[in-house]
Amino acid sequence: MQNNPIGIFDSGVGGTSIFKEIHQLLPNESLIYLADSKNAPYGTKSKEEIISLSVKNTELLIKMKCKLIVVACNTATTNAISHLRANYQLPFIGIEPAIKPAALQSQSKSIGILATKGTLSSELFHKTTNLYSQNITVVEQTGTGIVELIENGALHSPELKSLLKSYMQPMIDAQIDYLVLGCTHYPYLIPILKTILPENVTIIDSGLAVARQTKAVLNLHDLEKTISNSPEIIFYTNGKTDVITALTEAKYPVKFLNF
């Protein structure tokens, strides 16, 4: 099992931001990435639909002999990971918005959260927010339209920058000093967000924390690959292969798979 790949899935290309952190921390590990772009975004779907899609992705990765699965999607984690853990034997790593460090470190006592509707409306998100947001102003913003633009290769479009400006203005008005990114697509927005937000605003995403947790769980289950031969890395998408190729700088093979 140690030489088997780690599986990663997301509702599209966003989880490639998580892939990069995992690959950097665990360079010997083989990785299989599933981009379910055909069904993106998950954030607008019902909990039942999100669970069904997550099960489909999980079973495909199990067929590919993955030893551990990273649910590189905030919406899938908050809505489906409990179901996955209850129904499958292998370990799962989830991702959720990094509200805790933002709330604990904020000096202005005002933080912003940019996330999908599916994440912001989930029970897990509300529990976490209520736990850490005492005496803190939390400005929530649903990132409507962002995932679709990134999936269509419009990351650097004027339309996306205009959308982000409108989403950030209420947060700027509330004098946030931390912005929590609650979707794995959103780290690709950081260069644009830095041109919009005041310099004192710290932007937090969960990528490195997920990579560290992946390493910890591999060690816990004695699954970490110890042989330092060339790992196999492959991306599968049921959407546009060129979008992943661009985001990963054409370093790895990207294949179309109708799943």
Side-chain angles (χ1 to χ4, degrees):
M1 286 290 284
Q2 289 176 338
N3 292 326
N4 288 20
I6 294 171
I8 304 171
F9 79 80
D10 180 35
S11 62
V13 302
T16 54
S17 63
I18 302 297
F19 155 80
K20 289 176 182 179
E21 296 282 4
I22 293 172
H23 183 45
Q24 186 169 345
L25 188 65
L26 298 162
N28 295 329
E29 296 288 346
S30 294
L31 300 165
I32 296 175
Y33 184 97
L34 287 186
D36 190 17
S37 295
K38 182 170 67 177
N39 293 297
Y42 283 8
T44 58
K45 300 185 187 302
S46 68
K47 181 171 183 173
E48 291 72 26
E49 287 178 295
I50 295 163
I51 290 173
S52 177
L53 291 167
S54 298
V55 164
K56 175 201 68 171
N57 297 335
T58 294
E59 293 191 347
L60 183 53
L61 289 170
I62 288 173
K63 284 181 182 176
M64 294 176 176
K65 301 190 176 346
C66 290
K67 61 185 176 183
L68 173 148
I69 293 177
V70 179
V71 183
C73 172
N74 294 79
T75 301
T77 296
T78 50
N79 288 276
I81 201 163
S82 296
H83 177 90
L84 298 177
R85 285 173 172 156
N87 287 276
Y88 299 96
Q89 293 297 313
L90 74 172
F92 286 88
I93 306 294
I95 178 169
E96 57 180 304
I99 300 163
K100 180 181 177 180
L104 293 178
Q105 296 171 46
S106 175
Q107 297 297 308
S108 68
K109 301 302 178 187
S110 180
I111 66 172
I113 301 171
L114 181 66
T116 66
K117 178 184 175 184
T119 295
L120 292 174
S121 63
S122 70
E123 184 180 347
L124 180 57
F125 175 81
H126 282 292
K127 279 184 180 177
T128 306
T129 305
N130 291 337
L131 190 60
Y132 296 108
S133 63
Q134 305 298 327
N135 305 314
I136 292 272
T137 299
V138 179
V139 184
E140 297 178 11
Q141 175 62 56
T142 302
T144 305
I146 294 174
V147 169
E148 291 90 334
L149 285 167
I150 295 173
E151 288 289 331
N152 285 306
L155 176 60
H156 302 290
S157 65
E159 184 183 355
L160 183 52
K161 184 162 187 178
S162 176
L163 200 59
L164 289 175
K165 281 183 176 178
S166 69
Y167 290 163
M168 291 302 105
Q169 194 56 55
M171 299 188 187
I172 294 169
D173 293 343
Q175 297 183 322
I176 66 163
D177 59 357
Y178 279 85
L179 172 63
V180 179
L181 301 181
C183 173
T184 53
H185 284 73
Y186 296 174
Y188 289 110
L189 304 173
I190 291 174
I192 307 167
L193 288 167
K194 283 184 174 178
T195 69
I196 298 170
L197 293 165
E199 287 185 6
N200 71 307
V201 177
T202 301
I203 302 171
I204 300 182
D205 73 85
S206 306
L208 181 56
V210 172
R212 287 173 175 163
Q213 180 65 5
T214 301
K215 182 176 174 65
V217 172
L218 286 174
N219 287 329
L220 179 66
H221 294 277
D222 194 27
L223 290 172
E224 187 169 354
K225 186 179 176 185
T226 53
I227 303 169
S228 60
N229 57 357
S230 298
E232 184 179 8
I233 295 169
I234 189 162
F235 290 79
Y236 292 101
T237 180
N238 52 23
K240 298 178 178 179
T241 58
D242 60 327
V243 178
I244 290 186
T245 299
L247 291 177
T248 58
E249 299 170 337
K251 292 178 180 177
Y252 315 102
V254 181
K255 298 183 179 181
F256 178 81
L257 183 67
N258 190 16
F259 63 92

